[in-house]
Amino acid sequence: DAGVIQSPRHEVTEMGQEVTLRCKPISGHDYLFWYRQTMMRGLELLIYFNNNVPIDDSGMPEDRFSAKMPNASFSTLKIQPSEPRDSAVYFCASMIARDTYGYTFGSGTRLTVV
Amino acid sequence: GDSVTQMEGPVTLSEEAFLTINCTYTATGYPSLFWYVQYPGEGLQLLLKATKADDKGSNKGFEATYRKETTSFHLEKGSVQVSDSAVYFCALKGSSNTGKLIFGQGTTLQVKP
């Protein structure tokens, strides 16, 4: 199993541009989570899905952020327009509810907005 | 609501020293408890877990025991190595079955040769 795959690994963009982060969860996992990690705020849950349906998006910082999961094998997190304060590492994680192994995280996307 | 509190870092130890990272939790019912480790430039990886009271999770020389009476899940290792330098996160999965893990704020461990 290739694990949770995120792309790109690094993204540098200019303020005001649209950014799209991608995630492929582990096949068969029915939960998908998007996290943001910064030195100042630590690890923050942005949104999570169960069976492709958004369950809780209360962590999405503002309307500039949106996330979709069109099918069980793909999810996107979009920021439009991007701002320098969005610079962070964004992690995707997936989980299968019926076992107790918790999450499997991807390697993350390091986003820098200049 | 459910919450996890970890000891403040950073923790700096010499190689072969004994490690304890404290973790306490607040939760209703019977949560499952986890320790994750994050090495520099990588995502979080599951280190060990315990799903019921008095269970001991262990992996790579690390151990943690689920203590319901003290609501704790402290991480220990008898002899740390430089390669153990990382950030360690305690987490719980509540019994409400939302699927969501609640993470502590993370504790940075630096091991010096």
Side-chain angles (χ1 to χ4, degrees):
Chain A
D1 195 329
V4 176
I5 299 173
Q6 291 187 246
S7 63
R9 284 299 308 272
H10 302 275
E11 176 81 37
V12 180
T13 191
E14 292 186 347
M15 183 173 63
Q17 295 298 305
E18 177 180 295
V19 176
T20 299
L21 311 182
R22 297 173 176 80
C23 175
K24 177 178 169 56
I26 292 175
S27 176
H29 281 197
D30 48 5
Y31 278 88
L32 184 139
F33 304 83
W34 282 101
Y35 281 85
R36 178 172 69 175
Q37 188 178 39
T38 61
M39 289 294 292
M40 290 297 295
R41 301 174 69 92
L43 196 63
E44 302 174 275
L45 176 64
L46 301 178
I47 185 171
Y48 74 100
F49 297 83
N50 179 216
N51 292 322
N52 313 336
V53 175
I55 301 301
D56 183 355
D57 65 355
S58 60
M60 297 286 260
E62 47 197 278
D63 292 345
R64 298 184 297 106
F65 286 69
S66 63
K68 294 182 180 179
M69 191 164 186
N71 56 61
S73 58
F74 184 65
S75 178
T76 59
L77 178 68
K78 185 177 293 185
I79 308 172
Q80 165 63 19
S82 57
E83 297 183 3
R85 61 194 167 117
D86 302 330
S87 297
V89 181
Y90 291 81
F91 289 104
C92 175
S94 69
M95 181 180 78
I96 187 165
R98 58 179 168 78
D99 73 26
T100 58
Y101 284 89
Y103 298 175
T104 301
F105 280 82
S107 298
T109 295
R110 181 173 294 278
L111 173 65
T112 303
V113 183
V114 298
Chain B
D2 296 349
S3 66
V4 175
T5 303
Q6 291 180 233
M7 65 186 289
E8 293 279 339
V11 174
T12 303
L13 296 173
S14 298
E15 207 165 22
E16 299 184 1
F18 185 85
L19 168 71
T20 300
I21 299 178
N22 290 338
C23 171
T24 57
Y25 68 90
T26 301
T28 55
Y30 301 92
S32 296
L33 300 173
F34 304 83
W35 277 100
Y36 282 80
V37 58
Q38 184 179 28
Y39 298 104
E42 299 182 12
L44 282 71
Q45 304 172 26
L46 179 64
L47 180 59
L48 53 84
K49 67 178 179 74
T51 57
K52 60 183 187 296
D54 300 325
D55 266 3
K56 178 184 282 188
S58 61
N59 187 23
K60 299 181 181 180
F62 291 89
E63 293 183 340
T65 301
Y66 187 161
R67 302 284 189 202
K68 190 161 178 64
E69 64 276 14
T70 55
T71 62
S72 65
F73 193 54
H74 304 322
L75 182 68
E76 297 182 334
K77 187 175 185 183
S79 176
V80 294
Q81 306 299 312
V82 172
S83 56
D84 295 326
S85 299
V87 182
Y88 292 82
F89 292 87
C90 185
L92 73 81
K93 183 180 177 186
S95 53
S96 62
N97 205 31
T98 64
K100 191 168 66 173
L101 288 183
I102 307 298
F103 284 90
Q105 71 271 35
T107 302
T108 300
L109 170 66
Q110 184 178 19
V111 181
K112 296 186 173 180

